[in-house]
Amino acid sequence: MPELPEVEAYRQLAEQALGRMVSTVRVTDPRFVRGPSGPAALVGALRQHRFVAARRHGKLLVLDLDSGHRLGLHFGMTGRLLVDGTPGVDGLLYSSDRGLPVWDRLIVGLADGGSLVVSDPRLLGGASLDPDEQRLGPDARSVTPAELRRALAGSASALKARLLDQAKLAGVGNLMADELLWRASLAPGRRAGSLSPAEQRRLLHHLRATVELLMARGGSHMGDLMAERHPGGRCPRDGAGLRRSTIGGRTSWWCPAHQR
DNA sequence: ATTGTGGCCTGCCCGC
DNA sequence: TGCGGGCAGGCCACAA
């Protein structure tokens, strides 16, 4: 599903749309437009304008317009970005590769004949005009030691729940969190505020490494733990039976032998 | 303020 | 072969 690695791929793809005039905008399902501005305002802000920058903050893709407005795109778990018909990622876990036209929720037609399309079968993503980027915590790809410390300090939440809280740290989703904690040898249910300085350093090291690895491999579902994330799955490191827990409302797979 | 829970949304997979 | 239940999780509203 689209976590930081996929959205970064979408961002790079979206750069191909920069500088090109938007001629038509179609919102095929009003539910796809989120936030205070409705579909009409969003359409009006885009039409006859050009995208001037493609930025990513966590899982939020922001396309700046020459009007000063910003188009925010989030992709939920099944959202896909296509520019000129080319998808930003190849396989998307939990989504379908059929790409039915009815799943196209936002269709931005460009004056040169190209297009920028968001396809989202389950409508869990959305588009918003001028999204509030301040709500998001530091981006997981560039978070500093001090920022990570602040994100965890004093929290009674489970560590994994904290990592998934986009207001505290932006970009980590369920699959990447499991992979990251497995690599860092930290149990997902640990209290976030209980990490020692050494454990925080270890977490940050593996956060950076995991983000870069999954981007290089092409998706958040490309981690080493992924294949064992099922009943009967075994830890790829030590062979112990993996445990399944619900943490932060999400299915979590972890190794009770080496994650402490 | 923090923390946890449930609902949204629908394609897909499994068992019958 | 068709049907129905359960599952997946990013995000948000809501409760305590």
Side-chain angles (χ1 to χ4, degrees):
Chain A
M1 77 247 20
E3 300 184 27
L4 191 156
E6 285 83 1
V7 180
E8 176 59 25
Y10 294 167
R11 190 201 65 76
Q12 292 175 22
L13 177 69
E15 290 191 330
Q16 295 181 17
L18 300 184
R20 298 160 68 181
M21 179 66 74
V22 172
S23 55
T24 60
V25 182
R26 204 149 63 87
V27 174
T28 60
D29 190 319
R31 291 175 298 176
F32 194 68
V33 176
R34 312 297 174 93
S37 302
L42 188 138
V43 169
L46 266 60
R47 204 188 288 142
Q48 295 305 115
H49 287 282
R50 301 172 196 267
F51 297 116
V52 295
R55 299 179 288 116
R56 181 192 56 76
H57 191 151
K59 305 175 198 173
L60 177 71
L61 178 62
V62 182
L63 301 180
D64 294 326
L65 291 147
D66 60 6
S67 62
H69 283 296
R70 294 165 293 123
L71 173 64
L73 297 175
H74 67 271
F75 297 90
M77 101 188 242
T78 56
R80 218 184 276 269
L81 183 72
L82 300 97
V83 175
D84 301 331
T86 301
V89 296
D90 290 332
L92 201 55
L93 194 68
Y94 303 129
S95 191
S96 168
D97 284 326
R98 288 188 292 151
L100 301 188
V102 293
W103 297 337
D104 292 348
R105 312 298 183 181
L106 176 68
I107 305 170
V108 178
L110 303 173
D112 58 20
S115 65
L116 181 146
V117 173
V118 179
S119 167
D120 184 5
R122 294 183 203 178
L123 275 170
L124 288 169
S128 54
L129 185 62
D130 302 326
D132 181 8
E133 300 176 53
Q134 307 285 356
R135 299 181 310 120
L136 296 170
D139 187 79
R141 193 183 181 191
S142 55
V143 63
T144 66
E147 286 171 336
L148 185 63
R149 184 171 357 105
R150 272 197 294 276
L152 303 176
S155 172
S157 295
L159 174 58
K160 181 175 170 182
R162 198 72 170 182
L163 295 174
L164 292 176
D165 186 342
Q166 302 299 300
K168 300 294 185 294
L169 180 70
V172 177
N174 196 43
L175 297 182
M176 198 157 79
D178 276 3
E179 177 77 14
L180 158 66
L181 292 170
W182 174 75
R183 288 174 177 267
S185 302
L186 292 167
R190 274 281 295 278
R191 300 302 99 182
S194 75
L195 268 61
S196 69
E199 287 175 325
Q200 289 181 24
R201 283 193 296 274
R202 204 165 78 218
L203 180 62
L204 181 57
H205 167 79
H206 286 287
L207 173 60
R208 289 170 171 166
T210 303
V211 166
E212 298 306 317
L213 178 78
L214 295 181
M215 286 199 309
R217 289 187 183 175
S220 56
H221 60 292
M222 300 298 285
D224 293 342
L225 188 63
M226 192 64 217
E228 299 297 325
R229 248 175 135 271
H230 61 82
R234 305 213 148 261
C235 174
R237 180 181 297 185
D238 53 40
L242 293 182
R243 186 173 298 177
R244 180 192 198 272
S245 319
T246 298
I247 297 168
R250 297 288 160 253
T251 301
S252 306
W253 293 90
W254 57 287
C255 173
H258 85 271
Q259 289 180 251
R260 300 289 175 172

